[in-house]
Amino acid sequence: MRTWWREHVSDRGQVLAKMLCWFVFLVAIIVGGAATLTALERYAHGGQYAAGPVKYTLELDPTPSWMPATLGRCILADVTPVNLSFDDPSLCREIHEKLVKNPWVSQVTAVRRVRTGATEGVVRVQATYRQPIARVAREGRIYHVDNEGVVLPYSQTPKFAAQDSSGVTYFLQREGVPANLRPIRIHYITVEGVEAPPPGVGKPWPGDDLVEGLRLVRLLSTRPYANQISVVDVRNHRRRISESEPEMCVYAQQGHGKSTEIRFGRFPHPEGGDWVISPARKMQYLDDYVNDQNGRLAGVHSYIDVRFDELRISLN
């Protein structure tokens, strides 16, 4: 037989035959390896997944502590695609694009798809969100804005809170607070006198006056007497109304009680070399005043002026 092979098959034919055998062998290894990897993947996910459609949910991971559960559900409903299946390769991209357009989302960190069972899955969203810090009053209307002056949906802004043994929970409306808990209205300082008209929801409000007003709101919000402060008035920003009046004023009032005007002035120029009293010193004036008045800022005097080298207060 070997003699016949040598006589009838050339050396080149022998080489081709060997190459064909090796090719068939390698194909068998690749196919078997792919099947093994698929089986291992299914095992790692908790067993053999049955074929069929996968039902999935979206999760905010994590949900900010200030965000009401109702608002979280509103965001998820807004960014959930209507006609995309869990296995659709464009699912995460579609959700990401919707998140970027949502007014509550400041930045998207990740959108991850996770198979949790034979016919179940979850898409986890990691993002940072815009927290409302103040109200802006203009032409008889109220707008809520975040730290950057972005206008947020009024009806979706948390307005009440309640506390129990597990902590503080936030709600969109008073009606959402459980009957066994005492509703507490969330205190937002109102910025008045902004010159530019409001932009659309999800857009930053133009103008340096609101930027400076929100800077002052953030400074005041760190104080234990922040809930006594009702208004930051920026109508004289850059002295556009009067050269002799303070550029910014703050009003402290509790309920329908007597209001106290706090003459704040302006912030120093960022490049330095300014004669204006530093914000830290102005806040120290207010801290000392409140301590002297047993925690009261509003209603004791008609005005408090923090623009000078010493605190000035009204006689009444």
Side-chain angles (χ1 to χ4, degrees):
M1 184 69 178
R2 292 180 179 176
T3 303
W4 182 89
W5 179 269
R6 293 192 185 97
E7 291 176 355
H8 292 85
V9 180
S10 65
D11 291 341
R12 184 177 180 184
Q14 294 180 40
V15 172
L16 291 174
K18 290 180 179 178
M19 291 177 63
L20 180 60
C21 292
W22 276 107
F23 176 76
V24 173
F25 178 70
L26 290 174
V27 169
I29 291 177
I30 292 171
V31 173
T36 302
L37 289 174
T38 302
L40 287 173
E41 182 180 4
R42 288 174 176 173
Y43 177 79
H45 284 86
Q48 197 83 8
Y49 288 144
V54 177
K55 295 181 180 179
Y56 70 92
T57 58
L58 263 66
E59 293 181 357
L60 304 183
D61 182 27
T63 302
S65 60
W66 60 265
M67 182 180 289
T70 307
L71 174 55
R73 290 193 291 270
C74 290
I75 295 173
L76 292 175
D78 181 62
V79 304
T80 300
V82 178
N83 297 317
L84 293 183
S85 68
F86 181 78
D87 295 319
D88 194 307
S90 64
L91 177 64
C92 290
R93 182 176 69 251
E94 178 79 10
I95 294 172
H96 185 280
E97 292 174 356
K98 287 179 174 289
L99 284 164
V100 170
K101 296 177 182 178
N102 188 279
W104 289 103
V105 179
S106 174
Q107 184 177 10
V108 183
T109 305
V111 180
R112 293 188 176 92
R113 175 172 39 192
V114 180
R115 188 78 170 262
T116 57
T119 58
E120 295 87 28
V122 62
V123 179
R124 294 193 174 100
V125 171
Q126 293 181 335
T128 54
Y129 302 92
R130 301 189 184 279
Q131 180 178 1
I133 68 162
R135 309 190 313 167
V136 180
R138 195 178 190 280
E139 296 182 349
R141 296 190 62 183
I142 294 293
Y143 306 84
H144 289 87
V145 296
D146 78 335
N147 183 52
E148 298 175 337
V150 174
V151 178
L152 301 171
Y154 181 86
S155 62
Q156 296 178 355
T157 300
K159 300 178 182 67
F160 285 87
Q163 186 170 9
D164 58 15
S165 58
S166 61
V168 178
T169 305
Y170 296 87
F171 303 88
L172 298 186
Q173 302 293 338
R174 186 187 188 98
E175 292 75 18
V177 181
N180 62 320
L181 298 178
R182 182 174 68 89
I184 304 170
R185 182 177 291 275
I186 298 173
H187 180 71
Y188 293 109
I189 297 173
T190 301
V191 181
E192 294 183 352
V194 175
E195 187 173 42
V201 172
K203 305 291 185 182
W205 202 307
D208 293 340
D209 50 2
L210 182 58
V211 171
E212 294 291 277
L214 292 178
R215 182 181 175 185
L216 183 50
V217 167
R218 291 193 297 272
L219 196 61
L220 294 166
S221 296
T222 63
R223 267 39 197 188
Y225 45 84
N227 62 344
Q228 299 183 50
I229 297 169
S230 56
V231 172
V232 170
D233 190 338
V234 299
R235 69 185 72 250
N236 198 37
H237 179 254
R238 294 188 177 178
R239 300 187 177 181
R240 59 193 176 204
I241 296 176
S242 171
E243 288 287 334
S244 60
E245 298 297 321
E247 292 195 19
M248 285 192 290
C249 286
V250 176
Y251 292 91
Q253 185 177 19
Q254 290 188 292
H256 298 288
K258 178 182 176 182
S259 175
T260 295
E261 177 187 18
I262 302 163
R263 300 171 182 176
F264 184 86
R266 63 173 174 85
F267 288 101
H269 294 305
E271 61 270 15
D274 201 352
W275 56 268
V276 173
I277 300 296
S278 72
R281 187 172 177 183
K282 291 179 178 181
M283 297 311 299
Q284 189 60 56
Y285 283 157
L286 292 182
D287 293 345
D288 293 343
Y289 176 88
V290 170
N291 287 335
D292 291 342
Q293 302 300 328
N294 297 316
R296 292 185 63 188
L297 177 64
V300 181
H301 293 91
S302 297
Y303 74 82
I304 304 169
D305 201 329
V306 297
R307 295 175 294 164
F308 305 102
D309 288 334
E310 60 182 13
L311 179 66
R312 300 183 181 182
I313 59 176
S314 64
L315 296 178
N316 59 325

